[in-house]
Amino acid sequence: MKTSELNDYLRRRISKDESFQSLLSYPRYIEIETVNACNARCPMCTIDDWQRNTPTMGEDLFDRISLDVIKHRNEIKRISLYRDGEPLLDKKLPRRVRILKNGGIKQVSISTNVSLLNEERSEKLLEAGLDLIIMSIDSLNKEVFENIRVRLNLEEVISNAETFIKLRDKISPKTVIWMRMIRQESNKNEWPAYKSFWENQMSDVDRIYYHNIFNWGGQLEGFNPIAKSYEPNLPCVALWSLLVIFANGDVPLCNVDYNNKYPTGNVNDNTIKELWESKIINERRQLHLNNKKGEISLCENCNVWEEPAMQDVFLSSEYADKVALAT
């Protein structure tokens, strides 16, 4: 396939109203890991293999990152205050949301397992200006849920989610809720009932979707796919859209590089723009465009960026077929 066609695929996946070249100026999405710890132990997570030892991000580092991103607020689509851990373990989370919102960041989000989302935390996050919350609740069946979200209690999680929905409607109706199921072998037949349950409680601005279990770039032990993925045949959208910052300031290859096997740099030493335009990132992009992504072990069979089941139009299969025909 021609490079121009791959560029078009990436542009359409990431930001269809922009030119491909504009994506190279600054990341449209940034994930800031303010805490690297979790209160759950889920089988589709790699937590037992984490080897980093900076559990929380200091205020000085967060403030430095904030100054950087606020200067580029018009280029950024979303900043997510999480990565591999449970963000609600960060007691300073509402303050950090407020700093970014006061600085003009369009959308600030978190993704949570909901177990710690009590009424007090919900109110503080909504009042701070949180724009989007992704709630990861994988089943409505107690046994199935608690076998997936080990250490969590289904009744508590459902109660927290329902309370947040009511508080959102009262305090901040524009805050968007994405209710997400990680679809896997144990819950793969639950989707219709799951969708129906949440549709009755959520508003028109919200989304209910599933994402098929993914392999963390081939790092998830015992990975059992439940659907075909086209992602291994395509350049990864993350290299043109997402920059991840760990709690100590390190910037890895992408969001599956949880042990920073492929370091990009550190925001203590370089600006985000310098890292985004760096030689090492551009070399990785060229490998992906030239069908050589397998030279990066994490990229070879990674399916983390498979399009979720909330899309109206699926681009991956269309372009993957073109790649197959061209080879």
Side-chain angles (χ1 to χ4, degrees):
M1 192 191 306
K2 295 178 181 178
T3 299
S4 60
E5 290 180 290
L6 293 175
N7 291 354
D8 184 60
Y9 160 73
L10 292 164
R11 179 190 62 80
R12 290 174 69 190
R13 281 282 312 262
I14 297 165
S15 188
K16 63 182 179 181
D17 297 324
E18 293 187 70
S19 69
F20 174 77
Q21 195 63 30
S22 69
L23 300 177
L24 302 175
S25 65
Y26 201 84
R28 295 301 181 259
Y29 300 91
I30 298 173
E31 292 183 356
I32 304 172
E33 174 192 74
T34 69
V35 60
N36 179 229
C38 191
N39 60 329
R41 292 296 182 273
C42 307
M44 68 281 194
C45 180
T46 56
I47 189 169
D48 291 335
D49 190 38
W50 293 358
Q51 296 168 14
R52 293 183 288 116
N53 57 8
T54 304
T56 57
M57 178 176 285
E59 289 189 65
D60 289 346
L61 176 55
F62 183 83
D63 291 346
R64 181 184 301 131
I65 295 168
S66 297
L67 290 173
D68 189 328
V69 297
I70 286 168
K71 290 177 185 176
H72 295 270
R73 58 187 174 272
N74 293 328
E75 296 167 86
I76 298 169
K77 288 181 174 289
R78 182 189 309 147
I79 292 182
S80 302
L81 294 178
Y82 66 91
R83 173 63 323 263
D84 293 327
E86 168 51 51
L88 296 180
L89 290 170
D90 179 6
K91 296 179 181 179
K92 298 172 183 176
L93 189 60
R95 171 189 178 270
R96 291 170 168 172
V97 171
R98 194 180 301 276
I99 287 172
L100 295 176
K101 290 306 298 178
N102 287 346
I105 299 300
K106 297 185 199 72
Q107 189 175 66
V108 179
S109 77
I110 65 168
S111 175
T112 174
N113 63 34
V114 194
S115 64
L116 301 176
L117 191 65
N118 59 28
E119 185 171 348
E120 180 182 2
R121 288 191 179 96
S122 296
E123 288 178 347
K124 287 182 177 179
L125 286 169
L126 289 165
E127 290 167 355
L130 185 69
D131 297 290
L132 168 66
I133 183 168
I134 303 170
M135 297 188 183
S136 289
I137 303 176
D138 303 309
S139 176
L140 302 176
N141 178 293
K142 182 175 176 65
E143 181 178 2
V144 173
F145 174 86
E146 293 178 7
N147 280 332
I148 295 174
R149 298 282 168 172
V150 178
R151 298 185 182 179
L152 305 189
N153 175 274
L154 177 61
E155 290 84 0
E156 182 178 40
V157 165
I158 296 295
S159 176
N160 286 347
E162 292 177 335
T163 297
F164 186 92
I165 293 168
K166 292 173 183 175
L167 289 170
R168 183 279 305 269
D169 294 344
K170 178 181 178 182
I171 298 171
S172 179
K174 291 183 179 180
T175 297
V176 176
I177 301 168
W178 289 3
M179 189 65 64
R180 179 179 66 188
M181 169 194 285
I182 302 298
R183 188 167 165 263
Q184 49 204 285
E185 194 62 39
S186 62
N187 66 2
K188 66 181 182 181
N189 296 319
E190 291 186 40
W191 173 245
Y194 179 96
K195 186 172 184 286
S196 176
F197 177 84
W198 291 114
E199 277 179 336
N200 292 328
Q201 303 187 59
M202 297 166 70
S203 76
D204 292 339
V205 303
D206 301 326
R207 286 176 171 174
I208 308 163
Y209 70 106
Y210 68 79
H211 196 299
N212 289 324
I213 188 172
F214 47 82
N215 63 7
W216 288 95
Q219 299 176 99
L220 182 62
E221 187 176 345
F223 171 67
N224 181 24
I226 64 167
K228 178 181 179 180
S229 174
Y230 295 95
E231 295 307 301
N233 298 326
L234 294 165
C236 181
V237 296
L239 287 173
W240 284 266
S241 62
L242 173 68
L243 186 114
V244 174
I245 305 172
F246 286 148
N248 66 349
D250 280 342
V251 175
L253 166 69
C254 64
N255 55 325
V256 304
D257 188 11
Y258 53 84
N259 281 330
N260 201 20
K261 291 180 179 179
Y262 292 90
T264 301
N266 189 293
V267 293
N268 287 298
D269 305 318
N270 296 98
T271 66
I272 290 173
K273 185 174 181 63
E274 288 170 344
L275 293 167
W276 193 243
E277 296 176 338
S278 65
K279 179 181 177 182
I280 191 167
I281 281 187
N282 282 318
E283 287 174 347
R284 293 165 180 167
R285 289 171 179 149
Q286 285 306 308
L287 288 174
H288 277 238
L289 288 174
N290 294 329
N291 201 25
K292 296 181 180 179
K293 63 192 290 185
E295 293 184 21
I296 306 171
S297 64
L298 296 186
C299 302
E300 185 173 10
N301 294 305
C302 183
N303 66 340
V304 72
W305 282 95
E306 176 185 287
E307 292 173 278
M310 63 181 181
Q311 302 293 114
D312 297 321
V313 177
F314 289 88
L315 300 175
S316 299
S317 57
E318 172 190 344
Y319 282 85
D321 288 341
K322 289 181 181 180
V323 170
L325 288 172
T327 54

